[in-house]
Amino acid sequence: DEAVYASVLGLFKEADQIDLCFLVDTTGSMHPWIDTVKGSITSLWKRINRHFEASKDIRLAFVGYSDFDKLRQERTRVVKFTSSQTNYLRELSGIQASGGGDLAEDVMGGLCAVLDDLAWRENGTKILIHIADCPCHGREFHDNSISDDYLHGDPEGKHHHDVMGRLAENGIQYFFGKITDKTDRMVQVFDVSLREQSHQQMCITTFNATSGNTDQFKRTLESIVMQSTQRSLHVSI
């Protein structure tokens, strides 16, 4: 909605620092969505910069995760926060979708990389956009239709309560791009934990990423950035 968009632009000007990270499943089935993310960045960056002074401090990062069929050092790919569009796109160009054994993926490893390997700034707006078509390991997060080599949960002992608690503690707003129904239970469990640990101040916002349509995805990204800034400034319109 253009009226809402225009209203929130005013709030966006008040946020001196904006950190935005994409967390993406990079196993083989995700190739179209990785290309969509790459294709949307330039448009998003240009539109934001069109409205704000050059000194606006906007940084983007990327974390790609796969599964335990790969070596530990190959399971995640991290592009650290940068304010350079050129550097960011150059780093993304080397990321390709590949691998994946069972349907469940190393989501916890990706989330932990978001928290451990990126230097989120204390002040300003912090946004995590997670795009995936399959859930994490553990029967708690999916039904029996999902093949999972680790039904007892993450084989390295990572727990979603700890991860959601750290997201809440750091004030990182969590958006999830839904591609299939396979992730529904996982997102529901994550959301309950995030709400509890943030004293009902935070939740996971889900958006439809099914089509992989670049133009639609661009509009969604713009909306997410504006909504997140509004939330971080505790202002309603």
Side-chain angles (χ1 to χ4, degrees):
D1 183 286
E2 288 299 322
V4 173
Y5 181 84
S7 298
V8 180
L9 284 177
L11 302 176
F12 193 44
K13 292 179 181 179
E14 299 178 37
D16 294 328
Q17 297 178 337
I18 299 161
D19 287 346
L20 168 63
C21 174
F22 289 97
L23 172 64
V24 182
D25 174 353
T26 56
T27 55
S29 62
M30 288 293 294
H31 176 75
W33 286 271
I34 294 173
D35 286 347
T36 297
V37 170
K38 293 177 182 177
S40 302
I41 295 304
T42 300
S43 173
L44 175 66
W45 217 310
K46 283 181 178 178
R47 183 158 187 182
I48 290 173
N49 286 328
R50 230 181 7 246
H51 290 281
F52 311 115
E53 65 276 11
S55 61
K56 178 65 66 176
D57 197 350
I58 304 166
R59 306 190 309 168
L60 268 66
F62 181 97
V63 174
Y65 65 89
S66 53
D67 203 9
F68 293 97
D69 59 321
K70 293 186 176 181
L71 297 174
R72 179 191 294 269
Q73 61 269 26
E74 298 174 347
R75 253 181 265 149
T76 56
R77 175 73 182 271
V78 177
V79 177
K80 294 185 182 295
F81 279 117
T82 179
S83 56
S84 167
Q85 178 182 333
T86 301
N87 291 345
Y88 188 73
L89 291 174
R90 183 174 62 245
E91 291 288 338
L92 283 190
S93 67
I95 295 175
Q96 303 295 329
S98 65
D102 55 358
L103 281 178
E105 310 293 4
D106 184 22
V107 176
M108 294 301 174
L111 285 166
C112 285
V114 166
L115 290 161
D116 295 334
D117 297 342
L118 296 178
W120 295 86
R121 293 173 294 188
E122 183 176 352
N123 298 315
T125 299
K126 305 170 195 174
I127 306 167
L128 174 63
I129 299 177
H130 183 185
I131 304 171
D133 62 354
C134 285
C136 59
H137 291 284
R139 58 168 58 90
E140 179 181 2
F141 304 103
H142 56 74
D143 60 30
N144 292 332
S145 68
I146 303 297
S147 58
D148 187 348
D149 293 339
Y150 304 98
L151 285 172
H152 294 294
D154 185 271
E156 294 180 340
K158 302 181 186 73
H159 199 282
H160 73 281
H161 287 310
D162 298 330
V163 173
M164 294 302 118
R166 292 179 65 192
L167 289 174
E169 181 181 354
N170 285 279
I172 299 172
Q173 299 179 56
Y174 192 161
F175 292 81
F176 184 82
K178 174 180 174 177
I179 297 172
T180 71
D181 293 340
K182 296 182 179 72
T183 56
D184 286 354
R185 186 181 295 184
M186 176 188 74
V187 173
Q188 181 181 28
V189 173
F190 283 6
D191 184 58
V192 169
S193 179
L194 183 58
R195 287 175 186 268
E196 288 177 351
Q197 298 192 69
S198 66
H199 306 289
Q200 307 303 317
Q201 297 300 305
M202 298 176 69
C203 66
I204 297 177
T205 301
T206 301
F207 65 94
N208 184 1
T210 304
S211 68
N213 180 279
T214 301
D215 289 336
Q216 178 182 331
F217 192 67
K218 289 175 186 176
R219 292 191 294 271
T220 301
L221 290 185
E222 291 164 5
S223 175
I224 286 172
V225 171
M226 300 311 164
Q227 289 177 41
S228 300
T229 303
Q230 176 189 354
R231 290 178 186 174
S232 70
L233 294 169
H234 303 290
V235 179
S236 60
I237 58 174

